[in-house]
Amino acid sequence: MAKGKAAGTHPAALHGVPRLKPLLEQRPGDLRRVAVFRALQLGDLLCAVPALRALRAALPEAEITLLSLPWAHELAKRLPRLIDSVVPFPGFPGLPEQPFEAESLPPFLHWAHERRFDLAIQLHGDGRTTNTVVDLLGARWTAGYRMPDAPARPNFFVYPDRGHESWRYQHLLEQLGAPQVSTAVEFPLLTEDVTEAREAVPGLAAQVDALAIHPL
């Protein structure tokens, strides 16, 4: 019987070249300061929770800083085991989520360089504009998605145009070497949330299993 490729063998191994481990497996001890860029509103940011969960599982001792819109402090208060801190992003040309504050960008980038991030991960779209933002942070390593026609680069993978948003970014973390984790999206409530809800909705029962609000 003719010899063929062994099942599951990486092509490089067939030529005597050792297969490189994904970034998060190669250097977990070197990735102590991690920036995650996703400057989006609530629904879109919640879709990144599984990816943040995978990142924490891969780097349990790392300090994870979320670069996002100012409101994201509220999410960090609810997910302290996944996010250590939030730093407001001042906007960037081509990103519509917030006005671009040109005078605030240089101090922000100066702060990022002073912070000396070991890794900056782009979790904000296909990379057409946002990979430039991540590159400007001055991190030792960068990672994320890129467009199919963009030049290949280490730790950047072609953006999948199908699938749920939460799957896309969890899949990105798995390609970087993070373990598979729960796909659940979570937004834990704080005591003040319950108090505010009862004040806003008179007569709200003391015990509520679920409450959905859909403002039009």
Side-chain angles (χ1 to χ4, degrees), residues 100-195:
F100 172 48
E101 301 174 5
E103 68 281 3
S104 299
L105 185 60
F108 171 79
L109 295 178
H110 177 76
W111 164 84
H113 282 249
E114 288 290 310
R115 188 70 186 88
R116 297 182 181 274
F117 286 110
D118 298 309
L119 171 63
I121 304 178
Q122 186 272 103
L123 292 186
H124 188 131
D126 57 26
R128 276 177 286 190
T129 301
T130 50
N131 284 348
T132 299
V133 174
V134 169
D135 288 341
L136 289 173
L137 298 175
R140 295 171 65 192
W141 290 281
T142 55
Y145 279 128
R146 62 176 177 84
M147 290 294 291
D149 57 351
R153 53 189 295 190
N155 306 312
F156 282 79
F157 306 90
V158 174
Y159 182 77
D161 58 1
R162 297 182 181 180
H164 192 277
E165 183 80 349
S166 62
W167 170 83
R168 286 193 184 107
Y169 295 101
Q170 185 174 10
H171 182 59
L172 170 64
L173 266 294
E174 290 174 1
Q175 292 182 94
L176 290 170
Q180 292 186 350
V181 296
S182 168
T183 60
V185 173
E186 57 181 309
F187 187 80
L189 296 180
L190 305 175
T191 302
E192 53 260 42
D193 297 326
V194 178
T195 301

Side-chain angles (χ1 to χ4, degrees), residues 8-9 23 29 34 38 41 44 48 59 92 101 118 122 137 185 212:
T9 302
L23 177 63
V34 179
R38 189 170 178 85
Q41 299 296 344
D44 288 316
L59 303 174
F92 197 77
E101 301 174 5
D118 298 309
Q122 186 272 103
L137 298 175
V185 173

Side-chain angles (χ1 to χ4, degrees), residues 81-100:
R81 69 188 186 282
L82 303 183
I83 303 169
D84 292 299
S85 61
V86 174
V87 173
F89 174 64
F92 197 77
L95 298 182
E97 287 76 22
Q98 66 187 121
F100 172 48

Side-chain angles (χ1 to χ4, degrees), residues 45-60:
L45 190 50
L46 286 178
C47 287
V49 168
L52 291 171
R53 189 181 297 119
L55 178 61
R56 176 58 76 197
L59 303 174

